[in-house]
Amino acid sequence: MEPLPSSPVSENKETLLREKELPQNSLQVSLSSPVHWFRMLAKEMHWSFVYGIVAVNGISQGLGGAIFRVASDYYWKDVQQAQPSAAQVYQGITSLPWIVKPLWGLLTDILPVAGYKRRPYFILAGLLGAISMLIMWLQNGMCTVLGLLLLTAGSAGVAIADVTIDACVAQNSINHPSLAADMQSLCGFSSSIGGLIGFSISGLLMHAIGSKGVLGLLSIPAALVLSVGMVLKELHVPNFAYRQIYQKLLQANRTVWATLKCSEVWRPCVYMFTSLALNLNIQEGMFYWYTDSESGPSFSQGTISFIYSIGSVGSLLGVLLYQNFLKDYSFHGLLFWSQLLSSFTGMLDLVLVLRLNLKFGMPNHLFAVFDESVSQMIGRIKWMPLLVLSSKLCPCGIEGTFFALLMSIDHAGMLASSWGGGLLLQVLKVSRSEFSNLWVAILIRSLLRVVPLALLYLVPKSNQHSVILPAYVFMKNGVSEAVEAGGDDVERASLHEDT
Protein backbone atom coordinates (compact mmCIF):
# COMPACT_ATOMS: atom_id res chain seq x y z
CA MET A 1 0.00 0.00 0.00
CA GLU A 2 1.44 3.35 -1.05
CA PRO A 3 1.76 5.76 1.90
CA LEU A 4 -0.57 8.72 1.75
CA PRO A 5 0.94 12.19 1.48
CA SER A 6 -0.79 13.32 4.66
CA SER A 7 -2.53 10.58 6.61
CA PRO A 8 -4.93 11.43 9.46
CA VAL A 9 -2.84 9.42 11.87
CA SER A 10 0.44 11.09 10.94
CA GLU A 11 -1.21 14.50 11.18
CA ASN A 12 -2.55 13.58 14.59
CA LYS A 13 0.85 12.37 15.75
CA GLU A 14 2.47 15.60 14.60
CA THR A 15 -0.23 17.52 16.47
CA LEU A 16 0.50 15.54 19.61
CA LEU A 17 4.19 16.28 19.25
CA ARG A 18 3.51 19.99 18.91
CA GLU A 19 1.21 19.95 21.92
CA LYS A 20 3.75 17.99 23.91
CA GLU A 21 6.25 20.77 23.35
CA LEU A 22 3.92 23.41 24.81
CA PRO A 23 5.03 23.08 28.46
CA GLN A 24 8.68 23.67 27.65
CA ASN A 25 9.25 25.13 31.07
CA SER A 26 7.28 22.43 32.92
CA LEU A 27 10.40 21.24 34.70
CA GLN A 28 11.21 24.70 35.98
CA VAL A 29 7.57 25.20 37.02
CA SER A 30 7.56 21.88 38.88
CA LEU A 31 10.71 22.84 40.74
CA SER A 32 9.60 26.36 41.64
CA SER A 33 6.04 25.50 42.69
CA PRO A 34 5.73 21.74 43.22
CA VAL A 35 2.52 22.02 45.24
CA HIS A 36 0.79 23.93 42.45
CA TRP A 37 2.17 21.47 39.92
CA PHE A 38 0.82 18.47 41.85
CA ARG A 39 -2.56 20.14 42.26
CA MET A 40 -2.72 20.91 38.54
CA LEU A 41 -1.98 17.28 37.61
CA ALA A 42 -4.44 15.96 40.20
CA LYS A 43 -7.14 18.30 38.90
CA GLU A 44 -6.61 17.39 35.26
CA MET A 45 -6.22 13.62 35.68
CA HIS A 46 -7.71 12.80 39.13
CA TRP A 47 -5.73 12.58 42.35
CA SER A 48 -5.71 8.77 42.32
CA PHE A 49 -3.62 8.77 39.13
CA VAL A 50 -1.00 11.06 40.69
CA TYR A 51 -1.05 8.92 43.83
CA GLY A 52 -0.50 5.84 41.65
CA ILE A 53 2.61 7.33 40.04
CA VAL A 54 4.07 8.37 43.40
CA ALA A 55 3.28 4.99 44.98
CA VAL A 56 4.56 2.85 42.10
CA ASN A 57 7.40 4.89 40.61
CA GLY A 58 8.47 6.77 43.71
CA ILE A 59 7.94 4.38 46.62
CA SER A 60 7.80 0.88 45.11
CA GLN A 61 10.44 1.27 42.38
CA GLY A 62 12.50 4.21 43.65
CA LEU A 63 12.66 3.83 47.43
CA GLY A 64 11.93 0.09 47.46
CA GLY A 65 14.29 -0.63 44.56
CA ALA A 66 17.15 1.20 46.29
CA ILE A 67 16.62 -0.65 49.56
CA PHE A 68 16.26 -3.94 47.67
CA ARG A 69 19.58 -3.42 45.91
CA VAL A 70 21.53 -2.94 49.13
CA ALA A 71 19.66 -5.58 51.14
CA SER A 72 19.88 -8.24 48.41
CA ASP A 73 23.62 -7.65 48.02
CA TYR A 74 24.18 -8.27 51.72
CA TYR A 75 21.67 -11.16 51.72
CA TRP A 76 23.61 -13.12 49.09
CA LYS A 77 26.95 -12.24 50.68
CA ASP A 78 26.24 -12.71 54.39
CA VAL A 79 23.18 -14.97 54.67
CA GLN A 80 23.60 -17.33 51.71
CA GLN A 81 27.42 -17.04 51.62
CA ALA A 82 27.34 -16.92 47.80
CA GLN A 83 30.36 -16.27 45.61
CA PRO A 84 30.38 -12.98 43.63
CA SER A 85 29.87 -14.78 40.30
CA ALA A 86 26.89 -16.75 41.71
CA ALA A 87 25.37 -13.62 43.28
CA GLN A 88 25.66 -11.88 39.91
CA VAL A 89 23.73 -14.71 38.26
CA TYR A 90 21.09 -14.69 41.02
CA GLN A 91 20.55 -10.96 40.52
CA GLY A 92 19.98 -11.67 36.84
CA ILE A 93 17.40 -14.34 37.63
CA THR A 94 15.41 -11.98 39.83
CA SER A 95 15.10 -9.65 36.82
CA LEU A 96 13.40 -12.32 34.67
CA PRO A 97 9.85 -10.98 35.36
CA TRP A 98 10.88 -7.73 33.65
CA ILE A 99 11.70 -9.63 30.45
CA VAL A 100 8.12 -10.88 30.13
CA LYS A 101 6.66 -7.37 30.46
CA PRO A 102 4.74 -7.76 27.17
CA LEU A 103 2.75 -10.55 28.84
CA TRP A 104 1.72 -8.28 31.70
CA GLY A 105 0.98 -5.52 29.17
CA LEU A 106 -1.26 -7.77 27.08
CA LEU A 107 -3.14 -8.95 30.14
CA THR A 108 -3.87 -5.41 31.33
CA ASP A 109 -4.92 -4.39 27.81
CA ILE A 110 -7.23 -7.27 26.84
CA LEU A 111 -8.17 -9.20 29.99
CA PRO A 112 -10.26 -7.16 32.44
CA VAL A 113 -11.16 -8.67 35.80
CA ALA A 114 -14.55 -7.91 37.37
CA GLY A 115 -15.03 -5.16 34.78
CA TYR A 116 -11.71 -3.36 35.44
CA LYS A 117 -8.54 -3.36 33.32
CA ARG A 118 -6.03 -1.79 35.70
CA ARG A 119 -7.17 -2.02 39.31
CA PRO A 120 -7.04 -5.84 39.64
CA TYR A 121 -3.44 -5.93 38.41
CA PHE A 122 -2.32 -3.36 40.97
CA ILE A 123 -3.96 -5.53 43.65
CA LEU A 124 -2.28 -8.66 42.27
CA ALA A 125 1.11 -6.93 42.18
CA GLY A 126 0.73 -5.67 45.74
CA LEU A 127 -0.30 -9.06 47.12
CA LEU A 128 2.52 -10.85 45.30
CA GLY A 129 5.15 -8.44 46.59
CA ALA A 130 3.86 -8.23 50.16
CA ILE A 131 3.43 -11.98 50.69
CA SER A 132 6.81 -12.93 49.19
CA MET A 133 8.71 -10.34 51.24
CA LEU A 134 6.94 -11.29 54.48
CA ILE A 135 7.85 -14.95 53.96
CA MET A 136 11.40 -13.85 53.22
CA TRP A 137 11.49 -12.09 56.57
CA LEU A 138 9.78 -14.71 58.76
CA GLN A 139 11.23 -17.94 57.35
CA ASN A 140 14.49 -19.01 59.02
CA GLY A 141 17.11 -21.35 57.57
CA MET A 142 15.91 -20.73 54.02
CA CYS A 143 17.63 -22.59 51.18
CA THR A 144 19.10 -20.69 48.25
CA VAL A 145 16.42 -21.87 45.79
CA LEU A 146 13.50 -20.75 47.96
CA GLY A 147 15.16 -17.39 48.64
CA LEU A 148 15.71 -16.92 44.93
CA LEU A 149 12.08 -17.78 44.16
CA LEU A 150 10.77 -15.33 46.76
CA LEU A 151 13.00 -12.49 45.54
CA THR A 152 11.91 -13.21 41.96
CA ALA A 153 8.25 -13.15 43.04
CA GLY A 154 8.81 -9.78 44.71
CA SER A 155 10.44 -8.52 41.51
CA ALA A 156 7.43 -9.79 39.53
CA GLY A 157 5.12 -7.73 41.73
CA VAL A 158 7.11 -4.57 41.00
CA ALA A 159 7.21 -5.39 37.26
CA ILE A 160 3.44 -5.92 37.03
CA ALA A 161 2.78 -2.64 38.84
CA ASP A 162 5.26 -0.88 36.53
CA VAL A 163 3.53 -2.11 33.38
CA THR A 164 0.11 -1.19 34.72
CA ILE A 165 1.05 2.36 35.70
CA ASP A 166 2.78 2.76 32.32
CA ALA A 167 -0.54 1.87 30.66
CA CYS A 168 -2.31 4.50 32.76
CA VAL A 169 0.31 7.11 31.79
CA ALA A 170 -0.05 6.19 28.11
CA GLN A 171 -3.82 6.62 28.28
CA ASN A 172 -3.60 10.02 29.93
CA SER A 173 -0.84 11.11 27.53
CA ILE A 174 -3.27 10.52 24.67
CA ASN A 175 -6.07 12.45 26.36
CA HIS A 176 -3.75 15.21 27.65
CA PRO A 177 -0.90 15.46 25.11
CA SER A 178 0.17 18.88 26.41
CA LEU A 179 0.80 17.29 29.83
CA ALA A 180 2.67 14.23 28.56
CA ALA A 181 6.05 15.77 29.44
CA ASP A 182 4.79 16.64 32.93
CA MET A 183 3.70 13.04 33.48
CA GLN A 184 7.08 11.70 32.40
CA SER A 185 8.80 14.27 34.63
CA LEU A 186 6.61 13.17 37.54
CA CYS A 187 7.57 9.53 36.90
CA GLY A 188 11.27 10.30 36.59
CA PHE A 189 11.53 12.61 39.58
CA SER A 190 9.43 10.32 41.78
CA SER A 191 11.77 7.45 40.96
CA SER A 192 14.95 9.50 41.46
CA ILE A 193 13.87 11.09 44.75
CA GLY A 194 12.59 7.75 46.03
CA GLY A 195 15.94 6.17 45.14
CA LEU A 196 17.82 8.95 46.93
CA ILE A 197 15.79 8.46 50.11
CA GLY A 198 16.03 4.67 49.86
CA PHE A 199 19.80 4.62 49.54
CA SER A 200 20.13 7.21 52.31
CA ILE A 201 18.27 5.10 54.89
CA SER A 202 19.34 1.64 53.72
CA GLY A 203 22.55 1.69 55.76
CA LEU A 204 20.70 2.55 58.97
CA LEU A 205 18.11 -0.13 58.32
CA MET A 206 20.75 -2.74 57.56
CA HIS A 207 22.55 -1.94 60.79
CA ALA A 208 19.32 -2.07 62.80
CA ILE A 209 17.50 -5.17 61.51
CA GLY A 210 19.78 -6.92 59.01
CA SER A 211 19.21 -7.85 55.38
CA LYS A 212 16.25 -10.21 55.98
CA GLY A 213 14.46 -7.66 58.12
CA VAL A 214 15.01 -4.95 55.52
CA LEU A 215 13.64 -7.23 52.78
CA GLY A 216 10.60 -7.84 54.97
CA LEU A 217 10.00 -4.08 55.22
CA LEU A 218 9.55 -4.03 51.43
CA SER A 219 6.08 -5.44 52.06
CA ILE A 220 5.09 -1.86 52.97
CA PRO A 221 5.70 -0.42 49.46
CA ALA A 222 3.88 -3.48 48.10
CA ALA A 223 0.90 -2.68 50.34
CA LEU A 224 0.84 0.86 48.92
CA VAL A 225 0.70 -0.61 45.40
CA LEU A 226 -2.26 -2.70 46.53
CA SER A 227 -3.94 0.47 47.82
CA VAL A 228 -3.60 2.01 44.34
CA GLY A 229 -5.80 -0.81 43.05
CA MET A 230 -8.34 0.07 45.72
CA VAL A 231 -8.64 3.80 44.99
CA LEU A 232 -7.74 4.24 41.30
CA LYS A 233 -10.54 5.92 39.38
CA GLU A 234 -11.35 3.68 36.44
CA LEU A 235 -14.41 3.11 34.31
CA HIS A 236 -16.26 -0.09 35.17
CA VAL A 237 -17.19 -2.08 32.07
CA PRO A 238 -19.46 -5.02 32.96
CA ASN A 239 -20.39 -7.94 30.71
CA PHE A 240 -17.04 -8.12 28.95
CA ALA A 241 -17.02 -10.55 26.01
CA TYR A 242 -14.28 -12.92 27.12
CA ARG A 243 -14.79 -14.96 23.97
CA GLN A 244 -13.07 -12.18 22.01
CA ILE A 245 -9.81 -12.49 23.97
CA TYR A 246 -8.31 -15.12 21.67
CA GLN A 247 -9.07 -13.06 18.57
CA LYS A 248 -7.57 -9.96 20.19
CA LEU A 249 -4.45 -11.90 21.10
CA LEU A 250 -4.03 -13.08 17.52
CA GLN A 251 -4.60 -9.56 16.19
CA ALA A 252 -2.11 -8.04 18.62
CA ASN A 253 0.44 -10.71 17.73
CA ARG A 254 0.07 -9.97 14.00
CA THR A 255 0.41 -6.25 14.59
CA VAL A 256 3.52 -6.63 16.74
CA TRP A 257 5.32 -8.86 14.24
CA ALA A 258 4.33 -6.68 11.30
CA THR A 259 5.81 -3.65 13.08
CA LEU A 260 8.99 -5.49 14.10
CA LYS A 261 9.65 -6.35 10.46
CA CYS A 262 9.90 -2.64 9.68
CA SER A 263 13.58 -1.68 9.34
CA GLU A 264 12.96 1.57 11.20
CA VAL A 265 12.06 -0.60 14.22
CA TRP A 266 14.27 -3.69 14.26
CA ARG A 267 17.50 -1.82 13.52
CA PRO A 268 17.37 0.37 16.67
CA CYS A 269 16.26 -2.69 18.66
CA VAL A 270 19.44 -4.53 17.64
CA TYR A 271 21.54 -1.57 18.77
CA MET A 272 19.75 -1.20 22.10
CA PHE A 273 20.10 -4.89 22.95
CA THR A 274 23.77 -5.00 21.93
CA SER A 275 24.60 -1.81 23.81
CA LEU A 276 23.10 -3.15 27.03
CA ALA A 277 24.34 -6.74 26.67
CA LEU A 278 27.97 -5.73 26.11
CA ASN A 279 27.93 -3.47 29.16
CA LEU A 280 28.96 -6.38 31.38
CA ASN A 281 27.64 -6.05 34.92
CA ILE A 282 30.30 -6.89 37.52
CA GLN A 283 28.61 -4.95 40.32
CA GLU A 284 28.68 -7.93 42.71
CA GLY A 285 32.44 -8.26 42.29
CA MET A 286 32.86 -4.57 43.12
CA PHE A 287 30.49 -4.84 46.10
CA TYR A 288 32.40 -7.79 47.56
CA TRP A 289 35.65 -5.87 47.09
CA TYR A 290 34.14 -2.74 48.67
CA THR A 291 33.32 -4.68 51.86
CA ASP A 292 36.45 -6.88 52.03
CA SER A 293 38.66 -6.10 55.03
CA GLU A 294 41.93 -7.35 53.50
CA SER A 295 42.03 -6.65 49.75
CA GLY A 296 39.37 -3.95 49.65
CA PRO A 297 38.71 -0.68 51.47
CA SER A 298 36.35 -2.41 53.95
CA PHE A 299 33.49 0.06 53.55
CA SER A 300 30.82 -0.13 56.26
CA GLN A 301 27.09 -0.46 55.59
CA GLY A 302 26.70 3.26 56.19
CA THR A 303 29.44 4.09 53.70
CA ILE A 304 27.91 1.79 51.07
CA SER A 305 24.55 3.49 51.63
CA PHE A 306 26.15 6.94 51.29
CA ILE A 307 27.96 5.98 48.06
CA TYR A 308 24.76 4.70 46.46
CA SER A 309 22.70 7.69 47.64
CA ILE A 310 25.14 10.16 46.08
CA GLY A 311 25.03 7.99 42.96
CA SER A 312 21.27 8.55 42.81
CA VAL A 313 21.96 12.29 42.97
CA GLY A 314 24.16 11.83 39.91
CA SER A 315 21.28 10.03 38.21
CA LEU A 316 18.94 12.92 39.05
CA LEU A 317 21.52 15.36 37.68
CA GLY A 318 21.59 13.32 34.49
CA VAL A 319 17.82 13.77 34.14
CA LEU A 320 18.17 17.54 34.63
CA LEU A 321 21.01 17.81 32.10
CA TYR A 322 19.05 15.83 29.55
CA GLN A 323 15.82 17.76 30.07
CA ASN A 324 17.43 21.21 29.89
CA PHE A 325 20.34 20.83 27.46
CA LEU A 326 20.43 17.49 25.62
CA LYS A 327 16.91 16.57 24.51
CA ASP A 328 17.21 18.60 21.29
CA TYR A 329 20.27 16.73 20.02
CA SER A 330 19.99 13.90 17.50
CA PHE A 331 19.76 10.29 18.66
CA HIS A 332 22.93 9.45 16.76
CA GLY A 333 25.10 12.19 18.25
CA LEU A 334 23.89 11.88 21.83
CA LEU A 335 24.24 8.09 21.91
CA PHE A 336 27.73 8.29 20.40
CA TRP A 337 29.08 10.59 23.10
CA SER A 338 27.23 8.93 25.97
CA GLN A 339 28.47 5.50 24.89
CA LEU A 340 32.03 6.77 24.61
CA LEU A 341 31.86 8.51 28.00
CA SER A 342 30.43 5.33 29.49
CA SER A 343 33.61 3.51 28.51
CA PHE A 344 35.80 6.21 30.04
CA THR A 345 33.82 6.33 33.31
CA GLY A 346 34.22 2.57 33.57
CA MET A 347 37.93 3.16 33.97
CA LEU A 348 37.25 5.00 37.24
CA ASP A 349 36.66 1.62 38.88
CA LEU A 350 40.10 0.60 37.62
CA VAL A 351 41.68 3.63 39.28
CA LEU A 352 39.94 2.74 42.55
CA VAL A 353 40.82 -0.96 42.53
CA LEU A 354 44.47 -0.25 41.70
CA ARG A 355 44.49 2.44 44.44
CA LEU A 356 45.80 5.06 42.01
CA ASN A 357 43.52 7.61 43.65
CA LEU A 358 45.67 7.46 46.79
CA LYS A 359 48.63 8.76 44.81
CA PHE A 360 46.62 11.92 44.15
CA GLY A 361 45.69 12.27 47.81
CA MET A 362 42.02 11.30 47.39
CA PRO A 363 40.70 8.81 49.99
CA ASN A 364 38.96 5.66 48.80
CA HIS A 365 35.49 6.60 50.06
CA LEU A 366 35.57 10.03 48.37
CA PHE A 367 36.75 8.59 45.08
CA ALA A 368 34.11 5.85 45.28
CA VAL A 369 31.44 8.54 45.73
CA PHE A 370 32.81 10.46 42.73
CA ASP A 371 32.97 7.25 40.68
CA GLU A 372 29.39 6.21 41.47
CA SER A 373 27.86 9.66 40.88
CA VAL A 374 29.60 10.21 37.53
CA SER A 375 28.80 6.68 36.35
CA GLN A 376 25.13 7.04 37.29
CA MET A 377 24.90 10.45 35.61
CA ILE A 378 26.37 9.18 32.31
CA GLY A 379 24.24 6.05 32.54
CA ARG A 380 21.08 8.13 32.92
CA ILE A 381 22.04 10.42 30.02
CA LYS A 382 22.57 7.31 27.88
CA TRP A 383 19.28 5.74 29.00
CA MET A 384 17.00 8.74 28.43
CA PRO A 385 17.33 8.91 24.61
CA LEU A 386 16.84 5.13 24.45
CA LEU A 387 13.52 5.59 26.27
CA VAL A 388 12.49 8.37 23.91
CA LEU A 389 13.52 6.30 20.90
CA SER A 390 11.54 3.32 22.19
CA SER A 391 8.42 5.45 22.64
CA LYS A 392 8.70 6.67 19.05
CA LEU A 393 8.90 3.12 17.69
CA CYS A 394 5.44 2.22 19.02
CA PRO A 395 2.59 2.06 16.48
CA CYS A 396 -0.79 3.59 17.26
CA GLY A 397 -3.31 1.31 18.90
CA ILE A 398 -0.87 -0.98 20.71
CA GLU A 399 1.44 1.59 22.29
CA GLY A 400 1.41 0.04 25.75
CA THR A 401 2.00 -3.53 24.63
CA PHE A 402 4.69 -2.63 22.10
CA PHE A 403 6.52 -0.34 24.53
CA ALA A 404 6.52 -3.20 27.05
CA LEU A 405 7.99 -5.42 24.32
CA LEU A 406 10.79 -2.95 23.64
CA MET A 407 11.50 -2.65 27.36
CA SER A 408 11.64 -6.44 27.62
CA ILE A 409 14.26 -6.46 24.86
CA ASP A 410 16.24 -3.97 26.91
CA HIS A 411 15.87 -6.09 30.04
CA ALA A 412 16.97 -9.14 28.06
CA GLY A 413 20.12 -7.20 27.24
CA MET A 414 20.56 -6.38 30.93
CA LEU A 415 20.11 -10.05 31.81
CA ALA A 416 22.78 -11.01 29.28
CA SER A 417 24.96 -8.30 30.82
CA SER A 418 24.45 -9.67 34.33
CA TRP A 419 25.09 -13.29 33.40
CA GLY A 420 28.01 -12.33 31.18
CA GLY A 421 29.51 -10.39 34.07
CA GLY A 422 29.03 -13.37 36.37
CA LEU A 423 30.75 -15.64 33.84
CA LEU A 424 33.64 -13.18 33.52
CA LEU A 425 34.11 -13.10 37.31
CA GLN A 426 34.03 -16.91 37.38
CA VAL A 427 36.60 -17.25 34.58
CA LEU A 428 38.93 -14.75 36.26
CA LYS A 429 38.48 -16.56 39.59
CA VAL A 430 37.21 -13.53 41.46
CA SER A 431 35.78 -14.92 44.71
CA ARG A 432 34.75 -13.79 48.20
CA SER A 433 38.38 -13.34 49.22
CA GLU A 434 40.33 -13.29 45.94
CA PHE A 435 40.32 -10.05 43.93
CA SER A 436 43.69 -10.08 42.17
CA ASN A 437 42.04 -10.28 38.73
CA LEU A 438 39.20 -7.85 39.43
CA TRP A 439 41.08 -5.11 37.59
CA VAL A 440 41.17 -7.34 34.49
CA ALA A 441 37.38 -7.71 34.63
CA ILE A 442 36.99 -3.93 34.90
CA LEU A 443 39.31 -3.37 31.93
CA ILE A 444 37.47 -5.92 29.74
CA ARG A 445 34.09 -4.44 30.68
CA SER A 446 35.22 -0.89 29.88
CA LEU A 447 36.69 -1.86 26.51
CA LEU A 448 33.56 -3.80 25.52
CA ARG A 449 31.51 -0.65 26.04
CA VAL A 450 33.16 0.83 22.94
CA VAL A 451 32.07 -2.05 20.67
CA PRO A 452 28.42 -0.90 20.24
CA LEU A 453 29.71 2.24 18.50
CA ALA A 454 30.30 0.01 15.45
CA LEU A 455 26.51 -0.54 15.29
CA LEU A 456 25.54 3.09 15.77
CA TYR A 457 24.58 3.32 12.10
CA LEU A 458 21.45 1.32 13.04
CA VAL A 459 20.17 4.28 15.06
CA PRO A 460 18.27 7.02 13.18
CA LYS A 461 20.14 10.31 12.74
CA SER A 462 16.97 12.34 13.19
CA ASN A 463 16.39 14.59 16.19
CA GLN A 464 14.41 13.42 19.19
CA HIS A 465 11.27 15.34 18.26
CA SER A 466 10.78 13.83 14.80
CA VAL A 467 8.44 11.02 13.77
CA ILE A 468 10.44 7.86 13.06
CA LEU A 469 7.87 5.33 11.91
CA PRO A 470 6.80 5.65 8.24
CA ALA A 471 3.25 6.70 7.42
CA TYR A 472 2.19 3.27 6.16
CA VAL A 473 2.84 1.80 9.62
CA PHE A 474 0.45 4.36 11.11
CA MET A 475 -2.17 3.58 8.50
CA LYS A 476 -1.80 -0.18 8.71
CA ASN A 477 -1.34 -0.60 12.44
CA GLY A 478 -2.79 2.58 13.85
CA VAL A 479 -6.19 3.20 12.25
CA SER A 480 -7.36 -0.31 11.47
CA GLU A 481 -6.08 -1.88 14.67
CA ALA A 482 -7.59 0.81 16.87
CA VAL A 483 -10.97 0.33 15.21
CA GLU A 484 -10.78 -3.44 15.49
CA ALA A 485 -9.84 -3.27 19.16
CA GLY A 486 -13.01 -1.38 19.97
CA GLY A 487 -13.81 0.40 23.18
CA ASP A 488 -10.33 1.79 23.72
CA ASP A 489 -11.45 5.39 23.45
CA VAL A 490 -13.97 4.85 26.22
CA GLU A 491 -11.38 3.15 28.41
CA ARG A 492 -8.82 5.88 27.81
CA ALA A 493 -11.17 8.40 29.32
CA SER A 494 -11.66 6.36 32.45
CA LEU A 495 -8.96 7.94 34.56
CA HIS A 496 -10.12 11.51 34.34
CA GLU A 497 -13.91 11.30 34.23
CA ASP A 498 -15.79 13.35 36.77
CA THR A 499 -17.12 11.46 39.72
Side-chain angles (χ1 to χ4, degrees), residues 122-236:
F122 283 121
I123 295 174
L124 171 63
L127 287 174
L128 189 60
I131 293 174
S132 60
M133 291 299 100
L134 284 176
I135 296 176
M136 194 83 190
W137 183 13
L138 299 174
Q139 181 68 32
N140 294 320
M142 189 180 302
C143 66
T144 301
V145 174
L146 180 57
L148 187 60
L149 288 175
L150 290 173
L151 290 177
T152 304
S155 177
V158 179
I160 294 171
D162 174 71
V163 171
T164 310
I165 198 65
D166 281 348
C168 296
V169 171
Q171 290 171 1
N172 277 304
S173 295
I174 292 173
N175 287 289
H176 300 275
S178 63
L179 296 177
D182 292 80
M183 284 182 270
Q184 291 298 330
S185 295
L186 178 61
C187 292
F189 280 103
S190 297
S191 178
S192 296
I193 294 174
L196 175 60
I197 297 173
F199 283 128
S200 299
I201 66 176
S202 59
L204 296 175
L205 293 175
M206 285 293 304
H207 181 73
I209 57 178
S211 59
K212 289 187 63 177
V214 173
L215 290 172
L217 285 180
L218 293 180
S219 58
I220 297 176
L224 291 178
V225 171
L226 189 151
S227 70
V228 175
M230 299 288 190
V231 303
L232 184 69
K233 184 170 179 59
E234 182 180 10
L235 182 66
H236 182 256

Side-chain angles (χ1 to χ4, degrees), residues 25-93:
N25 296 321
S26 60
L27 182 63
Q28 289 80 358
V29 171
S30 65
L31 292 174
S32 60
S33 52
V35 175
H36 173 75
W37 186 56
F38 269 88
R39 286 179 177 174
M40 180 270 294
L41 291 175
K43 179 180 179 181
E44 292 293 330
M45 291 166 291
H46 200 263
W47 67 267
S48 61
F49 170 72
V50 176
Y51 171 69
I53 289 181
V54 173
V56 175
N57 292 90
I59 300 176
S60 177
Q61 289 187 46
L63 186 145
I67 294 176
F68 179 86
R69 176 181 172 184
V70 176
S72 61
D73 281 344
Y74 278 102
Y75 175 77
W76 293 121
K77 179 178 181 290
D78 297 336
V79 178
Q80 294 294 346
Q81 298 291 309
Q83 295 292 339
S85 56
Q88 192 71 63
V89 172
Y90 296 154
Q91 296 285 21
I93 292 175

Side-chain angles (χ1 to χ4, degrees), residues 275-476:
S275 174
L276 293 169
L278 290 180
N279 182 24
L280 297 184
N281 188 344
I282 56 173
Q283 173 59 34
E284 295 306 310
M286 290 298 299
F287 173 75
Y288 278 57
W289 180 81
Y290 276 163
T291 56
D292 188 75
S293 59
E294 296 182 3
S295 301
S298 188
F299 290 151
S300 65
Q301 294 173 347
T303 303
I304 293 290
S305 174
F306 179 72
I307 291 172
Y308 288 163
S309 63
I310 299 301
S312 64
V313 174
S315 177
L316 182 59
L317 180 59
V319 175
L320 293 172
L321 289 174
Y322 175 82
Q323 178 72 16
N324 287 281
F325 305 108
L326 302 176
K327 66 180 181 180
D328 295 326
Y329 285 85
S330 68
F331 288 111
H332 197 274
L334 186 54
L335 288 174
F336 173 81
W337 287 108
S338 61
Q339 190 72 43
L340 194 60
L341 288 173
S342 177
S343 178
F344 288 136
T345 56
M347 294 295 185
L348 294 176
D349 286 338
L350 189 63
V351 173
L352 183 60
V353 169
L354 295 179
R355 306 297 179 92
L356 299 178
N357 56 290
L358 297 178
K359 295 182 178 181
F360 299 99
M362 182 175 287
N364 288 325
H365 65 281
L366 288 181
F367 192 84
V369 167
F370 173 75
D371 180 5
E372 183 72 14
S373 59
V374 172
S375 298
Q376 290 294 327
M377 181 183 68
I378 299 300
R380 177 64 69 173
I381 292 174
K382 176 187 171 185
W383 181 242
M384 293 297 289
L386 291 179
L387 285 177
V388 175
L389 178 59
S390 297
S391 68
K392 290 182 175 294
L393 297 179
C394 299
C396 296
I398 57 168
E399 298 93 342
T401 300
F402 201 83
F403 189 80
L405 173 63
L406 295 177
M407 290 297 98
S408 71
I409 293 174
D410 290 347
H411 283 287
M414 295 177 189
L415 177 62
S417 165
S418 184
W419 286 359
L423 178 61
L424 180 62
L425 293 175
Q426 179 69 26
V427 170
L428 295 176
K429 302 186 184 304
V430 176
S431 66
R432 295 174 57 87
S433 57
E434 176 56 46
F435 302 97
S436 59
N437 288 329
L438 181 58
W439 72 272
V440 180
I442 296 171
L443 182 62
I444 293 174
R445 178 204 63 184
S446 301
L447 293 177
L448 283 177
R449 289 180 176 179
V450 183
V451 175
L453 293 177
L455 298 177
L456 199 58
Y457 69 93
L458 298 174
V459 177
K461 296 183 178 181
S462 57
N463 65 61
Q464 299 179 59
H465 302 293
S466 61
V467 177
I468 295 177
L469 289 180
Y472 74 87
V473 174
F474 292 134
M475 290 302 298
K476 183 177 180 180

